[in-house]
């Protein structure tokens, strides 16, 4: 706690985690948000993401999608894939912020290209629905296309991810 009070962003973040999870202290989302915010203001990326989550869900602070998006954007611009995905969701679902499916797809794509499975799925849904991207069901491999038209499972998500990112195994072989 002394380190956190002396403006140590790592200690501030860790104290936020302790309060959020109730490890060694009484669980207190308000105090967790306070410490996350302090560390986030000093540029700690995972704290920027953490305070974004607190605002998105109204944990320890009043629910505020716009403030959540601002914190997610800071973390997303530094490469945090969870923040990129969550920012995409806020934009996609227009939770009190500008409704921009195109921008949502861009953030999903950034996270998805770094291997974030949630973002890959979310982008796949956007391709399936033609939301923010051009709807595209062309399938180079054939059978998946037939399953999409018969409505089997979530194959449309897999196909859309494959269309967006190619076959991951063949990509890995090329690198």
């Amino acid at each position: 706690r002394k380190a956190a009070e002396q403006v140590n962003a790592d200690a501030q973040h860790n104290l936020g985690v302790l309060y959020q999870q109730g490890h060694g202290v009484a669980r207190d989302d308000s105090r967790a948000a306070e410490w996350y915010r302090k560390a986030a203001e000093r540029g700690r990326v995972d704290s920027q993401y953490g305070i974004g989550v607190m605002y998105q869900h109204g944990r320890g602070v009043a629910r505020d999608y716009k403030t959540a998006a601002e914190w997610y954007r800071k973390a997303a611009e530094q490469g945090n894939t969870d923040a990129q995905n969550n920012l995409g969701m806020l934009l996609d679902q227009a939770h009190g912020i500008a409704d921009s499916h195109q921008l949502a797809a861009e953030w999903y794509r950034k996270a998805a290209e770094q291997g974030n499975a949630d973002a890959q799925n979310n982008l796949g849904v956007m391709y399936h629905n033609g939301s923010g991207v051009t709807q595209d069901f062309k399938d180079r491999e054939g059978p998946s296309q037939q399953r999409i038209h018969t409505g089997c499972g979530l194959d449309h998500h897999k196909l859309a991810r494959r269309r967006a990112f190619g076959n991951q195994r063949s990509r890995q072989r090329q690198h």
Side-chain angles (χ1 to χ4, degrees), residues 1-12 15 18-19 35:
R1 182 170 175 104
K2 287 181 183 180
E5 290 171 351
Q6 295 175 358
V7 193
N8 180 315
D10 292 336
Q12 291 171 334
L15 201 50
L18 293 176
Y19 277 113
W35 288 111

Side-chain angles (χ1 to χ4, degrees), residues 42-97:
R42 288 175 176 68
R44 174 87 187 223
V45 176
D46 46 357
S47 291
Q48 292 169 341
Y49 169 73
I51 192 67
V53 169
M54 303 294 272
Y55 275 107
Q56 181 180 359
H57 298 287
R59 293 187 194 146
V61 294
R63 178 175 281 173
D64 184 338
Y65 294 118
K66 184 177 179 184
T67 301
E70 290 169 4
W71 284 114
Y72 284 149
R73 183 177 307 277
K74 288 179 184 193
E77 288 173 347
Q78 295 180 68
N80 183 297
T81 63
D82 290 325
Q84 291 168 343
N85 180 63
N86 285 13
L87 180 56
M89 284 192 312
L90 289 178
L91 291 164
D92 191 17
Q93 298 169 2
H95 282 296
I97 60 173

Side-chain angles (χ1 to χ4, degrees), residues 98-165:
D99 177 8
S100 176
H101 297 293
Q102 256 184 320
L103 192 54
E106 289 175 28
W107 284 113
Y108 285 151
R109 181 177 309 284
K110 287 179 184 188
E113 288 175 349
Q114 296 175 72
N116 185 299
D118 291 331
Q120 290 171 349
N121 184 68
N122 291 335
L123 186 60
V125 170
M126 293 190 88
Y127 270 98
H128 175 74
N129 295 333
S131 176
V133 294
T134 303
Q135 190 173 31
D136 187 354
F137 290 118
K138 294 178 185 172
D139 181 14
R140 295 180 292 252
E141 281 114 34
S144 292
Q145 177 67 24
Q146 293 170 356
R147 286 194 297 271
I148 288 170
H149 290 298
T150 60
C152 295
L154 294 176
D155 287 336
H156 59 280
H157 298 294
K158 292 176 186 175
L159 172 62
R161 281 196 306 264
R162 190 168 52 235
R163 292 289 299 151
F165 306 107

